[in-house]
Amino acid sequence: MLPRSHAGVTVRDEPEVFLEMIKFVYLNTCHVDQSNVKALMHIADKYGVEDLVAHCLQWMHDHFTANLFYLFLTFKLSNERFAQKVRSSLLLALRSRRHFSLVTESAESQWDGLQVSFVEALLDNDELPVVSEAEVLNLLAKWASGALERQGVRGRSAGSLATGCSGTTGRPGSAADRLP
């Protein structure tokens, strides 16, 4: 008779988070809150548990705050499909006027730090819950002002550009000429 080998498995993940993932895999439920959602998203990404990603995204929608929005925006997931689900879910959340206002108007707003690609995707959305084009222009000015500050550009601020715009610039192809 051959000797039995006892192979062990070593898990180097946070035990509480790993157990929540196992609980979800077997029972289709787990505890999600602000203190563990980031770790749950990363462990779901690591082990390829798409339903757990969806569960965390649903939790984010159900408990939406500006802080949660910006937290989810910082997630760096290795699975491109999961990263796209997070991005799509965040864009979907901003179709709600309440959520949009929370994200753009809160005192701890990080609006001016959004990536260009996210702002482009947001503006490309036909269901953007804005009251007027002026609101869009002001938000773009706020965002651009933050981008200019991060680049160390001084001089005329994007905010003064927005308040100085009234109608078209007269220059063909300018951004103001393309506004509806």
Side-chain angles (χ1 to χ4, degrees):
M1 180 175 219
L2 295 172
R4 291 177 135 175
S5 72
H6 295 284
V9 175
T10 304
V11 176
R12 290 188 170 88
D13 298 302
E14 294 177 49
E16 299 83 19
V17 176
F18 187 79
L19 287 173
E20 287 298 329
M21 181 190 66
I22 295 298
K23 183 178 166 186
F24 182 82
V25 168
Y26 285 98
L27 303 174
N28 201 31
T29 188
C30 69
H31 174 75
V32 180
D33 62 28
Q34 183 130 7
S35 69
N36 73 355
V37 69
K38 185 173 187 172
L40 282 171
M41 287 291 289
H42 285 289
I43 203 165
D45 181 47
K46 179 179 179 179
Y47 292 103
V49 186
E50 188 168 355
D51 288 345
L52 182 53
V53 170
H55 184 72
C56 290
L57 290 172
Q58 184 59 52
W59 177 85
M60 186 260 310
H61 280 278
D62 294 345
H63 299 87
F64 193 89
T65 65
N67 286 339
L68 273 179
F69 172 86
Y70 291 113
L71 174 68
F72 271 72
L73 202 55
T74 66
F75 292 168
K76 304 286 185 229
L77 304 177
S78 60
N79 184 314
E80 188 56 40
R81 190 174 72 238
F82 293 176
Q84 187 56 42
K85 280 183 170 280
V86 170
R87 180 183 168 100
S88 295
S89 186
L90 291 171
L91 288 168
L92 179 65
L94 293 182
R95 288 184 182 175
S96 156
R97 179 65 189 177
R98 179 185 164 277
H99 293 170
F100 187 80
S101 294
L102 285 172
V103 166
T104 59
E105 298 171 6
S106 71
E108 62 277 344
S109 174
Q110 299 168 31
W111 177 260
D112 59 351
L114 292 176
Q115 293 181 342
V116 173
S117 60
F118 191 85
V119 173
E120 286 175 344
L122 184 62
L123 292 174
D124 199 32
N125 185 348
D126 290 335
E127 298 179 39
L128 196 61
V130 293
V131 178
S132 68
E133 287 81 12
E135 181 181 7
V136 173
L137 188 58
N138 285 332
L139 288 171
L140 281 173
K142 179 179 173 184
W143 173 79
S145 184
L148 290 173
E149 280 182 30
R150 284 189 306 284
Q151 293 177 1
V153 176
R154 301 282 186 252
R156 191 170 180 196
S157 74
S160 66
L161 291 173
T163 55
C165 286
S166 60
T168 63
T169 63
R171 292 187 316 265
S174 72
D177 290 336
R178 290 190 295 270
L179 287 175

